[in-house]
Amino acid sequence: MSSLKEILTRRPVAATIRLTVPAGAARPAPPVGPALGQYRLNLMAFCKDFNARTQKYKPDIPMAVTITAFKDNTFEFTVKSPSVTWYLKKAAGIESGSSRPGHVIASTITLKHIYEIAKVKQSDPYCQYMSLEAICKSIIGTANTMGIKVQKELD
Amino acid sequence: MLMASLRNLLFRRVYTCSTTFYIPSLQLVRPTSALLPSLSTLGHFLPAPRISGQAKEWRCLSPLLASFSTSSEASTNEASASSYLSVRIRCRKDVADMLSDALLCFGASSASMDEPDDCDSTDEISINSIFTECQDVGACISNAAGSIGLKDMPSYVVTMGEHCDWIKKTQESFHPVKISEDLWIVPEWRTPPDAQATNIILNPGLAFGTGDHPTTKLCLVLLYSLIKGGEFFLDYGTGSGILGIAALKLGAALSVGVDVDPQAIRSALQNAALNNVGPQEMQLCLVDSMGNPLSAVGTTDGNVKGQSSHGIRLVAEKEKFDIVMANILLNPLMEMADHIVSYAKPGAVVGVSGILSEQQLPQIEGRYMQFLEGMSVSEMDGWACLSGRKRITKYS
């Protein structure tokens, strides 16, 4: 819960912006440019900050970032790791999910892949309360909706 | 479900025709704004869809209903390289978050939501989404709506946006920045507040370095304290050229700017011209990510050939610079540490910045300890700048 002081000094929010930017490669060009430009935010500051904070990831991984723009043209942002679907596609080696999930299987992956993905996701802000097992279950659920089969071991 | 199968047949026919028009004949459950009768005339505004890819992902959940409006300045041919599609989608407040995330997964470049005012009593909210010009907006929105379980298609309005619009808006936010008592950075379109001081006129364009980032300020303060007159200065990662030009204005004899981004080199050339800095004083070189020169440019187009060989020769000359600055990012600083320090004379000052104080500074200190002695760190707002003198003898 926020402290009283935080509530009193909370700045009025103008907008919430969601973007996907490759790690370490933010530039004041699309997609960053138009999205932030229309709220008059300092593009250079965002790019520099974002690039510095995503240095620890492999370059050009698409990171989901949520920016909160305040009415006084300042902003804050949080960087989330790439989406589960992106990790699954990389692990399975496919470009897009199956067109008919449940009927057509696009690819298969092993439990080891799921475990590795869950470990990365655990450092995400909104997954920190969940146990590793719970994260794995939700990843398997996502894999099913994409038509990716999960096996214990590869044959 | 005769209707559904007929509908599917119709859509399949549409895609094999490879033209862009949507069938507005089917009614939506929830009535929305009036639909335009014939959309084939708007064909030249609508992007040509990637047929094979879209057809696979098309889920015929709900009929498409779209009302299009185009902004007045949208021109057909010249806008194609410098414009984007801005889509305003209306949906219920409780699904807005999920819809934004889903839009991003299905191909939108960004999705923003304005904070609703307290006096806004409807339960609907608008999402502004940006797409690149050649994307199928309707398919993306319907896929996104379907993936989160919305039964009906949200209404949306597509407008063409020009890149110059947002570029202009960001430029409005630049103000003159005071670095010290008599050093100011002033954007090109504003008048310097203090005409007596050393004013650096900048047009940052699309390159880094406007003067108000903490790392730029840290580097400028460091330069201000170091330059006595007549030094050779190397700016590794020059961006808009701000550090190089500042060094010259403060008394350096020669500035060389190096960058991997051709846009940065162009921007630095422009800024050098704005500040009346000639090719003898400032040289720029485009390098690749390993530091090998790709080309060098002088500050006047006529002398490019003459300057290029001189520029490359100068950059390739190691141990020739009195001050070397690199305001870039952690990874290039770590990888290119040897390369960057090799340009400095023994005993010269090397400064690096663009690093976060808590997470990245210890790594940089560890890496540069073997090259530099007498290291000192200055910090501002969570960013740090590390500087030291190049060791004359080898580190043991």
Side-chain angles (χ1 to χ4, degrees), chain A:
Chain A
M1 300 306 299
S2 336
S3 68
L4 187 63
K5 185 157 178 267
E6 276 174 39
I7 295 177
L8 287 173
T9 52
R10 197 173 285 177
R11 292 169 282 181
V13 178
T16 313
I17 308 169
R18 281 187 180 73
L19 279 182
T20 312
V21 192
R27 294 255 171 313
V32 179
L36 270 69
Q38 58 179 345
Y39 295 102
R40 292 207 172 93
L41 302 179
N42 195 338
L43 287 176
M44 306 293 176
F46 170 73
C47 291
K48 190 105 189 187
D49 215 339
F50 175 82
N51 286 338
R53 281 178 211 286
T54 53
Q55 285 292 289
K56 53 186 180 205
Y57 296 100
K58 263 211 255 184
D60 288 331
I61 296 184
M63 316 289 296
V65 56
T66 307
I67 305 163
T68 313
F70 299 104
K71 289 213 165 81
D72 56 357
N73 289 347
T74 52
F75 61 91
E76 280 171 358
F77 68 93
T78 52
V79 180
K80 292 186 268 193
S81 53
S83 61
V84 172
T85 49
W86 187 84
Y87 275 117
L88 284 171
K89 282 187 209 166
K90 286 268 287 189
I94 51 176
E95 277 301 313
S96 65
S98 148
S99 52
R100 291 181 55 215
H103 300 275
V104 175
I105 293 182
S107 182
T108 52
I109 53 176
T110 58
L111 275 182
K112 198 159 180 296
H113 288 121
I114 305 273
Y115 178 62
E116 296 291 327
I117 298 174
K119 278 210 293 197
V120 175
K121 276 282 159 186
Q122 209 179 25
S123 56
D124 233 18
Y126 60 85
C127 284
Q128 266 164 5
Y129 328 106
M130 297 160 70
S131 70
L132 209 57
E133 200 193 329
I135 301 180
C136 286
K137 279 199 195 151
S138 103
I139 295 176
I140 294 176
T142 312
N144 286 337
T145 61
M146 290 171 69
I148 295 178
K149 192 153 160 271
V150 181
Q151 282 177 316
K152 274 233 160 71
E153 267 129 29
L154 279 176
D155 319 318

Side-chain angles (χ1 to χ4, degrees), chain B residues 109-129:
Chain B
S109 306
S110 72
S112 8
M113 285 191 301
D114 287 335
E115 232 9 63
D117 294 328
D118 289 324
C119 48
D120 204 357
S121 55
T122 62
D123 67 346
E124 286 211 330
I125 194 171
S126 291
I127 302 179
N128 287 327
S129 192

Side-chain angles (χ1 to χ4, degrees), chain B residues 10 109 127 148 165 177 181 190 198 241 266 302 373:
Chain B
L10 210 52
S109 306
I127 302 179
I148 60 175
D165 296 338
V177 178
E181 269 315 306
R190 297 212 193 266
T198 320
R266 275 197 290 273
E373 56 191 357

